[in-house]
Amino acid sequence: MNPDKMRSVYGKLLYMLMDSANPEVQELLEFKCVAPLLTVHAFLDARGGTQLLDDPLLDRATAEIQA
């Protein structure tokens, strides 16, 4: 990581979130600050909808609308 870029508020937030993953910190806070990432594929897979990703019209349905 570039130290110059980690001096911003965003960088400080990342460091805080990394530190909060420590079990000792979680015990002190009494909650977890970080949750597992839910991707579109995982969301559809859990609901049996992965065939939607193979739809030939998917690109058109999710394309940018240009007026």
Side-chain angles (χ1 to χ4, degrees):
M1 287 192 237
N2 184 343
D4 290 331
K5 298 201 184 256
M6 297 308 285
R7 290 190 180 112
S8 67
V9 173
Y10 177 73
K12 291 174 186 175
L13 174 65
L14 286 181
Y15 281 129
M16 185 192 74
L17 290 174
M18 286 189 288
D19 290 343
S20 73
N22 182 330
E24 295 169 357
V25 174
Q26 288 178 5
E27 185 177 329
L28 289 171
L29 294 174
E30 298 180 358
F31 70 94
K32 293 182 180 183
C33 295
V34 181
L37 182 67
L38 179 63
T39 63
V40 172
H41 188 275
F43 179 87
L44 291 173
D45 192 37
R47 290 159 179 79
T50 52
Q51 71 276 5
L52 178 68
L53 298 174
D54 295 326
D55 191 314
L57 296 176
L58 181 65
D59 289 336
R60 181 153 184 141
T62 59
E64 176 184 358
I65 298 173
Q66 298 177 355

